[in-house]
């Protein structure tokens, strides 16, 4: 059996959860103040994901970098690889906030979208 302490980020309480797990199964979660902590612990131990936020180059008179992010959370263990791939991207203005710039980056199911609008 393994035990890991993680900080829950689903609400402002920031509970320090003690999670007992073995062989891909959650055996128990303690020190949570709400049910959200149990769900968070299960996901964080069994399938951790993150929203990727970074910048890419843009051909524009206004700015040189464009803030981008994934539309959905991506597998945590693939984030570094995704960053390397995203850094290769350069787009030309105009770009609209929410515009999909890359669909299904590296087969992760996460689209890269613009986080702001750049007109020219």
């Amino acid at each position: 059996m393994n035990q890991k302490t993680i900080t829950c980020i689903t609400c402002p309480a920031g509970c320090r959860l003690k999670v007992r797990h073995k062989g891909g199964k959650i055996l128990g979660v303690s020190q949570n103040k709400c049910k959200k902590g149990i769900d968070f612990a299960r996901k964080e131990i069994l399938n951790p994901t993150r929203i990727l936020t970074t910048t890419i180059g843009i051909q524009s008179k206004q700015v040189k970098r464009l803030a981008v992010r994934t539309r959905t959370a991506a597998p945590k263990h693939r984030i570094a690889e995704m960053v390397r791939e995203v850094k290769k991207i350069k787009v030309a203005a105009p770009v609209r906030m929410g515009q999909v710039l890359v669909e299904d980056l590296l087969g992760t199911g996460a689209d890269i979208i613009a986080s702001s609008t750049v007109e020219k």
Side-chain angles (χ1 to χ4, degrees):
M1 178 182 72
N2 299 312
Q3 181 168 306
K4 187 170 185 177
T5 301
I6 59 175
T7 302
C8 182
I9 60 172
T10 57
C11 76
C15 298
R16 298 281 295 161
L17 307 175
K18 301 258 187 237
V19 186
R20 291 178 292 119
H21 59 97
K22 183 177 182 179
K25 293 189 180 197
I26 302 297
L27 303 176
V29 178
S30 60
Q31 299 186 348
N32 56 302
K33 295 178 184 170
C34 67
K35 184 178 181 261
K36 291 178 183 180
I38 297 169
D39 295 336
F40 174 79
R42 182 172 288 112
K43 185 176 179 192
E44 186 64 15
I45 296 297
L46 301 178
N47 185 29
T49 59
R50 298 291 185 269
I51 297 290
L52 167 62
T53 59
T54 189
T55 61
I56 63 172
I58 184 168
Q59 296 170 342
S60 163
K61 293 178 182 177
Q62 294 177 322
V63 294
K64 293 182 181 187
R65 306 292 299 166
L66 173 68
V68 297
R69 65 178 180 85
T70 52
R71 183 193 314 254
T72 57
K76 182 180 174 184
H77 71 278
R78 305 269 324 261
I79 294 294
E81 176 186 12
M82 292 170 71
V83 169
R84 286 190 297 274
E85 191 66 23
V86 168
K87 293 297 180 185
K88 298 175 187 176
I89 301 167
K90 187 158 188 167
V91 296
V95 175
R96 297 270 176 239
M97 182 169 48
Q99 179 179 337
V100 176
L101 304 173
V102 178
E103 291 183 358
D104 189 20
L105 181 67
L106 298 174
T108 61
D111 297 338
I112 298 297
I113 62 172
S115 296
S116 61
T117 296
V118 177
E119 296 296 337
K120 296 181 182 185

